[in-house]
Amino acid sequence: MKPHRLSIEAFGPYADPVAIDFDALASEGLFLIHGTTGAGKTFLLDALCFALYGEVSGERSVKGLRSDHAAPGAVPRVSLEFSCGAARYRVERTPAHTAPKARGQGTVEKAPQAFLFRLDAGAPEQAVAAKTTEVTREVEHLVELNAAQFRQVILLPQGRFAEVLRARAEEREALLKTLFDTVIYERAGWWLEDQARTARNLALDQAREQEVLRRRAADAWTPQAPEPPEGAEPPEPPADQAGLEVLVVNIGMVVRGTEAALGEAVTRLTAAQTAQAALMAQAERWDRRAAASTRLSELEAKRETVAEYRQKLERAERAETLRPSLVAEAGARRELERVERGLQEQLRAARQARDGARALPPTVQGLDLVALPSAEALAAAGADLAARGAEVRELARKAEEAAQAGGAAAAASQRAGEAEAGRATAVGQQELLAAEQERELARLAQARSARDQLEGLQRAAREAEGRALAAEAIAPARERQLAAEAARNGADHHVNTAAAGLNHLRRNQIEGMAARLAGGLAAGAPCPVCGATEHPAPARPSADAVDDGAITAAERTLAAATQAAQAAAVALANAQAALGAVLEKAGDSPDPLAARQAAGTAAAAHLAAQALASGLPALERRTADREQQRQQLAKAIEVAATAIALERRAAAEASQRQRALAEQVARELGEGLEPGAVLRAFGPLEAALQALVAGAGPHTRATSELEQAARRLGQELAASPFATAADAAVALQEESWRRKLVERIADYEAAVIQQRNLLAAPDLADLPEARPDTTAAGEAVARQDGARTRAVERHSEARAAQREITRLAAEHRAGATALAAKQEKAERLGAVANRCQGKAAPYISLQRWVLSAYLADICGCANQRLTLMTSGRYQLRLTDEGGHGGRNAGLGLRVLDAYTGEEREVSSLSGGETFQASLALALGVADTVQAHAGGVPLEALFIDEGFGSLDPDNLQLAMDELDRLREGGRLIGLISHVGALRERIRGGIEVIAGERGSSLRVGVTA
């Protein structure tokens, strides 16, 4: 991960927006962040860590990150552009904070927000994530470090610089796993363990399968085995291949015994079946003779019925010769009845049509339509009706013309009414427009006046709002001043307490100095104070003796208290300045409620003027539009008056013509009759008369045909055995009935002959009177067949058991070889897996061994720098922390002191020595990660303080080492108060504290 640009707004001490261009600082490779205590140097690292992970780098809480110096409505925001590999991203976060309500008074709690964008060259920003948790997850995936690991290898916060050096082995292992891509070794161990487990399971499965084969063989043998003695235990299944071979021999003997028993059963069954077959043949001949006798008796009983069928068949055949005449006479009669029904329907229709017609000629009214009139009468009536129709059609034309004249009169009257209504509407609209125009002119004057006052009202509202905000901020500013005074007093008290404690320790140390000197006296050696070589009464150490370590700790406590007191004094000065600023801005309105009411009144006046002024263009347009509408309405009123006069004159002329035509139609047709209705009634009557003329011919023909058919039928009945046509019709039968009856008579005669022939057959002559008994022979066959079936079942079961046992024995023999191979493979895989998982000597896993190798490389790189920074005194050493076989073996760290030649714990190093070792280790981590492909690229390093613990010589050595990193292209930022660093590092960022928050100056440090 490499940062490019950091932007901060309303965050921590930075009220106004500030930005850091890391690309400009990267040209030197090494830059310094410096400034006064409390100015906000560490907050830059907090902002960097917060932008990536939503956490701050030091001991601060993510709550209260919003700047107290920022305006009430300002939103705290941190934005960071960074790159991972070839891709570039921008992450933006807003912490949780309190903001003024958009409407009304009071505040509201704002939830944290986060956004992540991908920045591709030449393309718009592409959103990647938009929730705090999703953004953190995506950043961890891109950077390949979580927040804690980021603070261990890239961002080294104040007070936590030595975390990697002093971390426990399991914490160091988690960090190394993230920095180096060793998951393949961990997966290899898991894979080997899975393979070993699988091999063991396969061997166990094979052993269980072998046992199952032996048990199945025992189960197959048990039904065939001899019955054990009473009270004896059932035999156990075979334990090995030899036991299975014994079962194979035993089942063979059983199979041979069941085969002999089956042969005897088959022989006995064959003899019984031969005897049964002879007896069944004799019984079958006896049954055939009995069935033929019974059937012949049944046929003889049906002889009279057959004779009656013959008589019916003879009458039906004689009646069949009369069928054409019977059918012709019946058809002619039905046709005449049909024609007469149609003629009566036509007469009824003609009567109804004449009853519904008016103004008919006398010849039509005089027709007798109860029976069919003569053809001459029908022709005369039709001609007179046609002539009368022509007269009525002429009258209908005149009536239509009169109706059209009436419609024209009504339409003209309607148009005249519509024109009158339109004129009245236009007059009303003209009056309404005049009244509305008068009101609009008044509103137009008000809007123009509001437009002229708008700028002054806006300025007054803005000033009133500023005074209201200042008045509302007075009370919080006073509270912050009181809190700052209390914090300053408490800090001064801590300074006094620490100073008193340090003075007390120094007095005790001075009082015990004699005892310390006495401890170094030796017999015959001169005293360093008086020079005497004899020491008769050396001082002894008291119970409250103080060593240098206690003095050093007290001095650090006093320095921290002094620094805190200075920060509290600065905070008090800032709070006082902030209170003075809001009091000055509030002016003569310190009361928040009154100031807020005044601001509301001013804002309302401004809004009202804005509303009036915004409507001015619309009012001007509407006024011009109304004037145009008034002119259009005046023209419409004039046009409507002309149309009214013209339409009323046209209506009078059309009404006069309508009356003249109506009087003529009534005079010629009759009062109350409408020509169209009269004509419509003539149509059905004309059609009915024409239908009667057309129906006279079919009636005459149907009557003649019926007379001819009746005469021919009478002649044929005289020569037949039937007295009437009805008798002949009753005797008639269908062809299928007659054919079926002939077949039944023939079948009867053939059956009688067949049964008599059966009874005369030679093989039925010598049979006994009683039927032979076949039941006993069948029972004997069934007994022998059951015996044979049981023998077959026993033999089949024995053969199946033999095949199963033989197969199982062969499978068990082959499985024994496979089991031995699987057990050998499981043992080999288990040994390798245990070694790679650290469960066997030397009890260190494959991944931990690889991580230990990486840590050895890190120590090698770190020792190159640590040797230079400590003038060859210290080097880091790996140790099997946790003891032999411990789960933390291989990742412990100790320090080798060249002065003593002994290794000791890293916790025994002093503050400056710890800083040197931690710095060397951090740089060693970066070098090793860069040297190994597949790891996390560490392109930046930030160090917060720690240089003040070094003496000038060691500081010079550390700076020499950091200077050597410029060539690697890595970006290194240092935060420190040490003046020597400003002389050594020319480029950097100066953090400047002010009453209204901190600001930045990027450039040359000196």
mmCIF file of all heavy atoms in Angstrom, residues 391-405 657-658 660-668 675:
data_model
loop_
_atom_site.group_PDB
_atom_site.id
_atom_site.type_symbol
_atom_site.label_atom_id
_atom_site.label_comp_id
_atom_site.label_asym_id
_atom_site.label_seq_id
_atom_site.Cartn_x
_atom_site.Cartn_y
_atom_site.Cartn_z
ATOM 1 N N GLU A 391 -99.081 4.919 -54.908
ATOM 2 C CA GLU A 391 -99.645 6.161 -54.407
ATOM 3 C C GLU A 391 -99.084 6.521 -53.027
ATOM 4 O O GLU A 391 -98.736 7.676 -52.762
ATOM 5 C CB GLU A 391 -101.182 6.036 -54.351
ATOM 6 C CG GLU A 391 -101.826 5.844 -55.724
ATOM 7 C CD GLU A 391 -103.319 5.561 -55.606
ATOM 8 O OE1 GLU A 391 -103.781 5.487 -54.423
ATOM 9 O OE2 GLU A 391 -104.004 5.434 -56.621
ATOM 10 N N VAL A 392 -98.996 5.518 -52.143
ATOM 11 C CA VAL A 392 -98.525 5.785 -50.766
ATOM 12 C C VAL A 392 -97.054 6.165 -50.755
ATOM 13 O O VAL A 392 -96.606 6.988 -49.957
ATOM 14 C CB VAL A 392 -98.792 4.550 -49.877
ATOM 15 C CG1 VAL A 392 -98.197 4.754 -48.487
ATOM 16 C CG2 VAL A 392 -100.283 4.307 -49.777
ATOM 17 N N ARG A 393 -96.230 5.627 -51.668
ATOM 18 C CA ARG A 393 -94.808 5.988 -51.712
ATOM 19 C C ARG A 393 -94.623 7.451 -52.081
ATOM 20 O O ARG A 393 -93.724 8.134 -51.566
ATOM 21 C CB ARG A 393 -94.070 5.088 -52.711
ATOM 22 C CG ARG A 393 -93.637 3.764 -52.097
ATOM 23 C CD ARG A 393 -92.686 3.010 -53.016
ATOM 24 N NE ARG A 393 -93.354 2.513 -54.208
ATOM 25 C CZ ARG A 393 -94.027 1.370 -54.295
ATOM 26 N NH1 ARG A 393 -94.115 0.592 -53.230
ATOM 27 N NH2 ARG A 393 -94.613 1.003 -55.414
ATOM 28 N N GLU A 394 -95.473 7.990 -52.970
ATOM 29 C CA GLU A 394 -95.400 9.412 -53.314
ATOM 30 C C GLU A 394 -95.722 10.275 -52.103
ATOM 31 O O GLU A 394 -95.061 11.278 -51.821
ATOM 32 C CB GLU A 394 -96.359 9.714 -54.474
ATOM 33 C CG GLU A 394 -96.392 11.176 -54.886
ATOM 34 C CD GLU A 394 -95.055 11.675 -55.387
ATOM 35 O OE1 GLU A 394 -94.209 10.835 -55.835
ATOM 36 O OE2 GLU A 394 -94.788 12.887 -55.316
ATOM 37 N N LEU A 395 -96.745 9.836 -51.351
ATOM 38 C CA LEU A 395 -97.096 10.585 -50.138
ATOM 39 C C LEU A 395 -95.975 10.487 -49.091
ATOM 40 O O LEU A 395 -95.726 11.443 -48.349
ATOM 41 C CB LEU A 395 -98.407 10.042 -49.552
ATOM 42 C CG LEU A 395 -99.668 10.294 -50.402
ATOM 43 C CD1 LEU A 395 -100.875 9.601 -49.775
ATOM 44 C CD2 LEU A 395 -99.939 11.796 -50.555
ATOM 45 N N ALA A 396 -95.286 9.353 -49.042
ATOM 46 C CA ALA A 396 -94.178 9.196 -48.087
ATOM 47 C C ALA A 396 -93.035 10.151 -48.425
ATOM 48 O O ALA A 396 -92.364 10.701 -47.532
ATOM 49 C CB ALA A 396 -93.676 7.754 -48.105
ATOM 50 N N ARG A 397 -92.776 10.358 -49.736
ATOM 51 C CA ARG A 397 -91.719 11.300 -50.125
ATOM 52 C C ARG A 397 -92.044 12.698 -49.639
ATOM 53 O O ARG A 397 -91.179 13.415 -49.120
ATOM 54 C CB ARG A 397 -91.560 11.273 -51.648
ATOM 55 C CG ARG A 397 -90.402 12.148 -52.145
ATOM 56 C CD ARG A 397 -90.421 12.211 -53.651
ATOM 57 N NE ARG A 397 -91.655 12.845 -54.142
ATOM 58 C CZ ARG A 397 -91.870 14.174 -54.083
ATOM 59 N NH1 ARG A 397 -90.962 14.976 -53.593
ATOM 60 N NH2 ARG A 397 -93.002 14.674 -54.545
ATOM 61 N N LYS A 398 -93.329 13.109 -49.772
ATOM 62 C CA LYS A 398 -93.720 14.439 -49.313
ATOM 63 C C LYS A 398 -93.620 14.546 -47.791
ATOM 64 O O LYS A 398 -93.210 15.588 -47.246
ATOM 65 C CB LYS A 398 -95.151 14.739 -49.772
ATOM 66 C CG LYS A 398 -95.261 14.893 -51.285
ATOM 67 C CD LYS A 398 -96.683 15.204 -51.705
ATOM 68 C CE LYS A 398 -96.783 15.387 -53.225
ATOM 69 N NZ LYS A 398 -98.179 15.708 -53.650
ATOM 70 N N ALA A 399 -93.973 13.473 -47.092
ATOM 71 C CA ALA A 399 -93.863 13.497 -45.619
ATOM 72 C C ALA A 399 -92.387 13.621 -45.190
ATOM 73 O O ALA A 399 -92.059 14.319 -44.215
ATOM 74 C CB ALA A 399 -94.480 12.223 -45.035
ATOM 75 N N GLU A 400 -91.467 12.955 -45.903
ATOM 76 C CA GLU A 400 -90.035 13.048 -45.585
ATOM 77 C C GLU A 400 -89.527 14.463 -45.806
ATOM 78 O O GLU A 400 -88.730 15.006 -45.022
ATOM 79 C CB GLU A 400 -89.256 12.070 -46.465
ATOM 80 C CG GLU A 400 -87.750 12.107 -46.259
ATOM 81 C CD GLU A 400 -87.346 11.656 -44.872
ATOM 82 O OE1 GLU A 400 -88.145 10.923 -44.236
ATOM 83 O OE2 GLU A 400 -86.251 12.032 -44.414
ATOM 84 N N GLU A 401 -90.027 15.089 -46.895
ATOM 85 C CA GLU A 401 -89.609 16.465 -47.167
ATOM 86 C C GLU A 401 -90.080 17.392 -46.050
ATOM 87 O O GLU A 401 -89.365 18.307 -45.631
ATOM 88 C CB GLU A 401 -90.178 16.902 -48.530
ATOM 89 C CG GLU A 401 -89.691 18.281 -48.975
ATOM 90 C CD GLU A 401 -90.226 18.634 -50.362
ATOM 91 O OE1 GLU A 401 -90.815 17.742 -51.011
ATOM 92 O OE2 GLU A 401 -90.046 19.793 -50.777
ATOM 93 N N ALA A 402 -91.328 17.152 -45.553
ATOM 94 C CA ALA A 402 -91.842 17.970 -44.443
ATOM 95 C C ALA A 402 -90.998 17.762 -43.181
ATOM 96 O O ALA A 402 -90.712 18.712 -42.443
ATOM 97 C CB ALA A 402 -93.307 17.602 -44.179
ATOM 98 N N ALA A 403 -90.576 16.493 -42.943
ATOM 99 C CA ALA A 403 -89.743 16.228 -41.754
ATOM 100 C C ALA A 403 -88.396 16.924 -41.845
ATOM 101 O O ALA A 403 -87.873 17.465 -40.863
ATOM 102 C CB ALA A 403 -89.556 14.720 -41.599
ATOM 103 N N GLN A 404 -87.829 16.946 -43.069
ATOM 104 C CA GLN A 404 -86.541 17.630 -43.238
ATOM 105 C C GLN A 404 -86.673 19.126 -42.990
ATOM 106 O O GLN A 404 -85.803 19.748 -42.376
ATOM 107 C CB GLN A 404 -86.023 17.388 -44.656
ATOM 108 C CG GLN A 404 -85.588 15.939 -44.891
ATOM 109 C CD GLN A 404 -85.174 15.697 -46.337
ATOM 110 O OE1 GLN A 404 -85.298 16.594 -47.185
ATOM 111 N NE2 GLN A 404 -84.713 14.486 -46.624
ATOM 112 N N ALA A 405 -87.802 19.704 -43.460
ATOM 113 C CA ALA A 405 -88.020 21.127 -43.206
ATOM 114 C C ALA A 405 -88.149 21.394 -41.716
ATOM 115 O O ALA A 405 -87.617 22.374 -41.183
ATOM 116 C CB ALA A 405 -89.278 21.599 -43.956
ATOM 117 N N ARG A 657 -92.790 25.845 -44.420
ATOM 118 C CA ARG A 657 -92.815 24.799 -45.444
ATOM 119 C C ARG A 657 -93.233 23.467 -44.830
ATOM 120 O O ARG A 657 -93.966 22.693 -45.448
ATOM 121 C CB ARG A 657 -91.435 24.665 -46.087
ATOM 122 C CG ARG A 657 -91.376 23.548 -47.127
ATOM 123 C CD ARG A 657 -90.109 23.600 -47.933
ATOM 124 N NE ARG A 657 -90.018 22.488 -48.837
ATOM 125 C CZ ARG A 657 -90.731 22.370 -49.979
ATOM 126 N NH1 ARG A 657 -91.593 23.335 -50.337
ATOM 127 N NH2 ARG A 657 -90.596 21.326 -50.772
ATOM 128 N N GLN A 658 -92.830 23.186 -43.630
ATOM 129 C CA GLN A 658 -93.205 21.923 -42.957
ATOM 130 C C GLN A 658 -94.712 21.827 -42.778
ATOM 131 O O GLN A 658 -95.333 20.782 -43.030
ATOM 132 C CB GLN A 658 -92.509 21.842 -41.594
ATOM 133 C CG GLN A 658 -92.880 20.588 -40.828
ATOM 134 C CD GLN A 658 -92.396 20.638 -39.390
ATOM 135 O OE1 GLN A 658 -92.043 21.726 -38.921
ATOM 136 N NE2 GLN A 658 -92.399 19.497 -38.737
ATOM 137 N N ALA A 660 -97.157 23.208 -44.597
ATOM 138 C CA ALA A 660 -97.857 23.029 -45.873
ATOM 139 C C ALA A 660 -97.810 21.582 -46.340
ATOM 140 O O ALA A 660 -98.822 20.988 -46.757
ATOM 141 C CB ALA A 660 -97.241 23.954 -46.932
ATOM 142 N N LEU A 661 -96.650 20.916 -46.286
ATOM 143 C CA LEU A 661 -96.519 19.534 -46.738
ATOM 144 C C LEU A 661 -97.308 18.575 -45.839
ATOM 145 O O LEU A 661 -97.917 17.603 -46.314
ATOM 146 C CB LEU A 661 -95.040 19.144 -46.765
ATOM 147 C CG LEU A 661 -94.195 19.810 -47.860
ATOM 148 C CD1 LEU A 661 -92.721 19.492 -47.649
ATOM 149 C CD2 LEU A 661 -94.652 19.348 -49.246
ATOM 150 N N ALA A 662 -97.326 18.796 -44.543
ATOM 151 C CA ALA A 662 -98.049 17.908 -43.619
ATOM 152 C C ALA A 662 -99.544 17.951 -43.884
ATOM 153 O O ALA A 662 -100.234 16.919 -43.813
ATOM 154 C CB ALA A 662 -97.727 18.313 -42.173
ATOM 155 N N GLU A 663 -100.092 19.127 -44.182
ATOM 156 C CA GLU A 663 -101.536 19.231 -44.473
ATOM 157 C C GLU A 663 -101.896 18.460 -45.745
ATOM 158 O O GLU A 663 -102.935 17.790 -45.815
ATOM 159 C CB GLU A 663 -101.905 20.697 -44.617
ATOM 160 C CG GLU A 663 -101.832 21.459 -43.293
ATOM 161 C CD GLU A 663 -102.039 22.949 -43.490
ATOM 162 O OE1 GLU A 663 -102.183 23.369 -44.684
ATOM 163 O OE2 GLU A 663 -102.046 23.690 -42.495
ATOM 164 N N GLN A 664 -101.053 18.480 -46.778
ATOM 165 C CA GLN A 664 -101.323 17.753 -48.031
ATOM 166 C C GLN A 664 -101.335 16.248 -47.800
ATOM 167 O O GLN A 664 -102.220 15.537 -48.301
ATOM 168 C CB GLN A 664 -100.274 18.132 -49.085
ATOM 169 C CG GLN A 664 -100.496 17.454 -50.437
ATOM 170 C CD GLN A 664 -99.426 17.826 -51.446
ATOM 171 O OE1 GLN A 664 -98.500 18.568 -51.107
ATOM 172 N NE2 GLN A 664 -99.552 17.307 -52.657
ATOM 173 N N VAL A 665 -100.369 15.673 -47.024
ATOM 174 C CA VAL A 665 -100.314 14.225 -46.765
ATOM 175 C C VAL A 665 -101.539 13.773 -45.984
ATOM 176 O O VAL A 665 -102.157 12.732 -46.286
ATOM 177 C CB VAL A 665 -99.007 13.878 -46.014
ATOM 178 C CG1 VAL A 665 -99.043 12.431 -45.521
ATOM 179 C CG2 VAL A 665 -97.816 14.096 -46.901
ATOM 180 N N ALA A 666 -101.975 14.524 -44.980
ATOM 181 C CA ALA A 666 -103.137 14.123 -44.180
ATOM 182 C C ALA A 666 -104.410 14.146 -45.009
ATOM 183 O O ALA A 666 -105.301 13.303 -44.815
ATOM 184 C CB ALA A 666 -103.254 15.070 -42.972
ATOM 185 N N ARG A 667 -104.504 15.078 -45.923
ATOM 186 C CA ARG A 667 -105.711 15.180 -46.753
ATOM 187 C C ARG A 667 -105.835 13.992 -47.689
ATOM 188 O O ARG A 667 -106.923 13.460 -47.885
ATOM 189 C CB ARG A 667 -105.656 16.508 -47.534
ATOM 190 C CG ARG A 667 -106.905 16.809 -48.328
ATOM 191 C CD ARG A 667 -106.891 18.225 -48.918
ATOM 192 N NE ARG A 667 -105.707 18.487 -49.704
ATOM 193 C CZ ARG A 667 -104.700 19.264 -49.312
ATOM 194 N NH1 ARG A 667 -104.727 19.876 -48.140
ATOM 195 N NH2 ARG A 667 -103.652 19.458 -50.101
ATOM 196 N N GLU A 668 -104.731 13.519 -48.322
ATOM 197 C CA GLU A 668 -104.784 12.439 -49.292
ATOM 198 C C GLU A 668 -104.741 11.048 -48.652
ATOM 199 O O GLU A 668 -105.320 10.108 -49.200
ATOM 200 C CB GLU A 668 -103.616 12.578 -50.278
ATOM 201 C CG GLU A 668 -103.689 13.847 -51.115
ATOM 202 C CD GLU A 668 -102.567 13.941 -52.117
ATOM 203 O OE1 GLU A 668 -101.815 12.925 -52.236
ATOM 204 O OE2 GLU A 668 -102.412 14.970 -52.778
ATOM 205 N N PRO A 675 -97.280 7.687 -43.849
ATOM 206 C CA PRO A 675 -97.041 6.931 -45.085
ATOM 207 C C PRO A 675 -96.021 5.824 -44.918
ATOM 208 O O PRO A 675 -96.181 4.740 -45.474
ATOM 209 C CB PRO A 675 -96.555 8.003 -46.055
ATOM 210 C CG PRO A 675 -97.114 9.284 -45.532
ATOM 211 C CD PRO A 675 -97.153 9.147 -44.055
#
